[in-house]
Amino acid sequence: MDGNWSYHIGLRSPNLTNTTVQLQENFEIDLEDTNWILTSSFIIFTMQTGFGMLESGCVSIKNEANIMMKNLADISLGGLTYWIFGYGMSFGEGPLSNPFIGVGNFLVDPPVGDALMGPVFASFLFQLSFATTATTIVSGAMAERCDFKAYCLFSFLNTIVYCVPAGWVWGKHGFLNKLGAVDIAGSGPVHLVGGASAFASALMLGPRLGRYARGTAPLPLGNPVNAVMGTFVLWWGWLAFNSGSTYGVSGAKWQYAARAAVMTMMGSFGGGCFGLLFSLIKNKGRADVMELINSVLGSLVSITAGCFLFRAWESLVIGMIGAAIASMAAPMFDKMKVDDPVGASAVHGACGLWGVIAVGLFADNPIPMDTTNGRSGLFKGGGWYLLGVQSLTGICLASWGALVTMALLWLIDLVLPIRMEPYEELLGADLTEHRIRHGQVGISRAVSALRPYHRSSSIERVGSIGVNTGHSLVVDKLQEIQKMPKNKVGGNLHMFTNTAFVDETSTLKNKGFLNKRPGNPQNDLHRAIDSMATEINGQLKQRCSTAEPCKAGMARHHSLFHDGANSHNEDRSTRVLEVKGMKWKELSASQLEMLDGMVAGEDRFRHRHDYPDAERLSAVTANVQWID
C-alpha cells in the first residue's frame, strides 16, 4: 500500500482529509483491527502493575514504596515525553527523516473528521504501552540507591533510549528494517534495549551499600509473594504483548494472533520447567523463588521476537535456552559486582539478545504475511542472511542502550546527584524520600524454641525477610563506635577515614562511575559510613599506615571486643568471649561474628556450634536473653 492509504471509518465531514500522521509499517487497520489493538493496549498497560509488584517484592522492605513511586514516574513522565517526541522519532516520516531517526509526527493529535483518527490513536496507544514497558525495566536495576528526584529526571529523558532503536527496527525509515530485521513484539527494541540500559545503570551507580559484604549470594526478598504475583500479572500481559503485535485480526492476522498466544505459553512452559529442575538440583531439593521467576520471565523475553514464527517444540527449546541464560547470567553479573536487584540485566538484556538471534535460526516464513520478507531461518533452509541481520540488530540495539544510558546518567549527575547519600540509603528511601515508616518485621521464635531438638544450620542461617545484611554490619559498627571513649580515639566517629567513594584502587566494575562522591566532609556520620562501606567490601588498603593516632585507634577498636586479647594478631580460635550476663542486643558486631556469624538483623536465630566450640561457649549462651 502507498504511504497515503486511508480507510474511511469513524467521523466524516465535508472537509475530510488524510491524516499527516503515518501508521507503523502502513498496516491496513480497519474497525475490527482497531478494536483488537486497543484491547491489547489496555492489557499491556496492566504489566506496569506486574513490574511494580515484582520489583517491590525483590527489594528491601524499607524501599518497596520508593520503587512503586518510580514506576508511577515512568508512566507519567516517560509517557509525556513519548507523546512529545518519542513517537515521532520512532515512526515520523517527515522530509527530514533518515535511516537513523524519524522526524515528524510530534505531539500526535489528529483532528476530528480525519479519516484515520481512530487508527492513529490506536497505533499511538499501542506503541506507548511498549515505550513505558522499556523504561520501567531500568527502574529495578537502579533500586535502593538511586535518588528519587534524579531518577524522575532520568525517566523524563529515558524515552530517547527506546524510541530511536525502535524506529530502526519498526519504522519505515529504519536502516535495520530496510535490511530485513524481524522482531514481532520487541525482544530487541523493548527488552534488549531495556536490559542493556539496566546493566549500564547498575554499572554506573555501583553496588548497594554492603551488598557484597557476605559474598555474592542474593539478598533476601522483601516480599516473595508480591514478586510471584507480579510475575503472574506480567505473564498475563505478555499474551497481549505478543498476540497484539499482529496489529489486528483481519485477513490472516487472526490466525497468527492465536499462534502467537499459544507459542508464548509454550515458551514459558519450557522456561518454567527448566527453572524448577535447575533450582531443585542446584539447591539440593529446595526451589528458589527468584530463580524460578527469572526462568519464566527469561523464556517469555526469548519467545517475544518470533512469537508466531516458531513451531511448538521450537518454542519449548527457545524458552528453555532463555531460562538457562537468565539463570547463568544473573550470578555472573553479581560476580562482576554489577548489582542488579531484580535481575533485569540478565532477564531482559541477555535473554532479549537470544530472542533476536533465535529468529535467525528457527523462523518460518508466515505465508501470506510478509513479516520476514519471505525469508526463513537458518534451520529452515533460509540460509545465513536472516541470522546475520538479526545478529547485527542485537549488537546495534545493545550498544545503543548501554552507551546512551551511560551518557544520560553522567549528564544528569552533573545537575542532580543520582546516587543516594549513604546514610539515606542505610535508613531506606521510603523513610527519607517519602516519609513512610514501616513496622517491625521479624521472624518467628520457633527456630529458637526447636533448636535443642533439631540442629539445622540450613534453617538457622536463613536471613531475615527484606534485610540487607551489609546494612546490619554498618549499624553494628556504628554502635560499637558509640561505646568507645572519645578521648581515646579522637572523637566517636573520627576513627574511620572518608575513603569509600574516593578509593583510587577501586575499579569500575565494583564501584560505579556515580558512586564516588565524598559528600559533606564535615559530616562525621557520613565519613564513618563511607569508610565502613569500604572496609566491609574488603577494599581498605591500610589507608592510615602512616598515621600513628589512627593506627592506635584501630588497635584499640579491635581490643575492645577481643576479650583478654592483648595482641591484635592473636588467633581467633583461642579467644573466649566474656559476655556472660549480657543481653543479645548488647553484643558487638565482632562478638556476634564470633558466635558463628550472627548479625544484629538476625537476632532471633541461635546458630549451631560444633564441639569443642559448644563446650567453650556454654557459659556464654546460658545467659543470653531473647529480645521481644
Side-chain angles (χ1 to χ4, degrees), residues 38-48 233 236-241:
L38 285 174
T39 303
S40 298
S41 301
F42 302 156
I43 298 174
I44 294 171
F45 190 77
T46 64
M47 294 180 74
Q48 298 295 333
V233 175
W236 143 259
W238 230 290
L239 292 172
F241 204 82

Side-chain angles (χ1 to χ4, degrees), residues 97-236:
S97 293
N98 56 75
F100 180 78
I101 191 171
V103 180
N105 305 335
F106 303 118
L107 305 172
V108 176
D109 189 16
V112 173
D114 193 304
L116 295 178
M117 181 179 70
V120 166
F121 279 132
S123 173
F124 171 76
L125 184 65
F126 190 77
Q127 296 301 332
L128 173 65
S129 66
F130 274 46
T132 55
T133 297
T135 303
T136 302
I137 290 172
V138 186
S139 62
M142 303 171 73
E144 302 200 88
R145 75 270 203 206
C146 179
D147 181 81
F148 182 75
K149 294 180 289 296
Y151 181 83
C152 286
L153 182 57
F154 173 76
S155 181
F156 185 78
L157 299 174
N158 191 44
T159 301
I160 195 173
V161 179
Y162 163 78
C163 64
V164 174
W168 297 348
V169 177
W170 291 327
K172 188 177 180 180
H173 66 278
F175 72 95
L176 292 174
N177 182 287
K178 292 179 179 180
L179 289 174
V182 178
D183 194 316
I184 296 170
S187 285
V190 177
H191 299 285
L192 176 54
V193 170
S197 181
F199 180 85
S201 301
L203 190 66
M204 292 284 282
L205 284 171
R208 288 166 285 179
L209 180 63
R211 166 62 181 92
Y212 299 111
R214 293 185 175 276
T216 59
L219 296 177
L221 303 181
N223 193 325
V225 175
N226 270 6
V228 175
M229 290 296 292
T231 303
F232 280 121
V233 175
L234 289 173
W235 212 333
W236 143 259

Side-chain angles (χ1 to χ4, degrees), residues 339-590:
D339 182 17
D340 185 344
V342 301
S345 306
V347 170
H348 298 279
C351 294
L353 179 60
W354 160 239
V356 171
I357 294 174
V359 172
L361 298 173
F362 296 99
D364 281 323
N365 178 16
I367 301 172
M369 298 177 67
D370 62 352
T371 306
T372 63
N373 301 300
R375 300 187 180 94
S376 299
L378 178 65
F379 296 160
K380 299 299 179 64
W384 293 91
Y385 183 84
L386 184 57
L387 179 59
V389 171
Q390 294 300 106
S391 300
L392 175 64
T393 299
I395 294 172
C396 291
L397 297 182
S399 300
W400 172 269
L403 294 177
V404 175
T405 299
M406 286 184 176
L408 191 59
L409 287 173
W410 182 78
L411 290 173
I412 292 173
D413 192 59
L414 298 178
V415 179
L416 287 174
I418 203 163
R419 174 85 188 205
M420 291 174 61
E421 298 291 355
Y423 46 82
E424 292 180 352
E425 183 180 345
L426 197 65
L427 292 172
D430 287 3
L431 180 63
T432 60
E433 300 268 20
H434 313 295
R435 303 186 65 82
I436 297 173
R437 185 188 296 276
H438 292 284
Q440 294 293 330
V441 179
I443 295 179
S444 172
R445 296 171 63 188
V447 173
S448 172
L450 293 172
R451 187 181 181 279
Y453 311 100
H454 179 72
R455 293 183 177 181
S456 174
S457 61
S458 63
I459 297 296
E460 292 172 350
R461 293 178 186 273
V462 174
S464 299
I465 294 178
V467 171
N468 184 333
T469 55
H471 288 187
S472 299
L473 290 174
V474 173
V475 172
D476 294 338
K477 287 181 177 292
L478 284 171
Q479 291 176 339
E480 287 180 18
I481 296 172
Q482 297 301 327
K483 297 178 182 179
M484 299 172 64
K486 291 186 178 181
N487 59 347
K488 298 296 184 181
V489 294
N492 280 359
L493 297 172
H494 285 291
M495 62 170 288
F496 286 98
T497 58
N498 187 23
T499 58
F501 294 156
V502 292
D503 184 357
E504 68 272 10
T505 64
S506 355
T507 59
L508 166 65
K509 69 178 181 179
N510 59 14
K511 290 295 290 182
F513 280 125
L514 308 179
N515 186 11
K516 57 184 184 296
R517 184 176 293 98
N520 179 6
Q522 303 303 318
N523 188 320
D524 288 342
L525 177 61
H526 191 290
R527 180 183 300 111
I529 294 176
D530 283 358
S531 288
M532 289 171 190
T534 299
E535 183 191 52
I536 289 171
N537 287 318
Q539 297 168 355
L540 194 58
K541 305 296 183 182
Q542 300 297 330
R543 289 278 168 187
C544 52
S545 58
T546 59
E548 294 301 324
C550 181
K551 291 175 63 178
M554 292 297 287
R556 183 173 297 278
H557 165 67
H558 284 286
S559 68
L560 287 176
F561 51 81
H562 291 168
D563 101 278
N566 296 323
S567 172
H568 173 68
N569 296 320
E570 183 180 355
D571 186 358
R572 286 182 57 180
S573 63
T574 63
R575 302 186 193 125
V576 178
L577 298 176
E578 296 292 344
V579 294
K580 185 175 182 180
M582 295 175 63
K583 292 185 178 181
W584 198 258
K585 67 178 181 179
E586 296 173 345
L587 300 179
S588 68
S590 301

Side-chain angles (χ1 to χ4, degrees), residues 288-300:
D288 182 80
V289 175
M290 208 57 213
E291 286 178 352
L292 181 55
I293 289 175
N294 284 345
S295 294
V296 172
L297 295 180
S299 64
L300 288 167

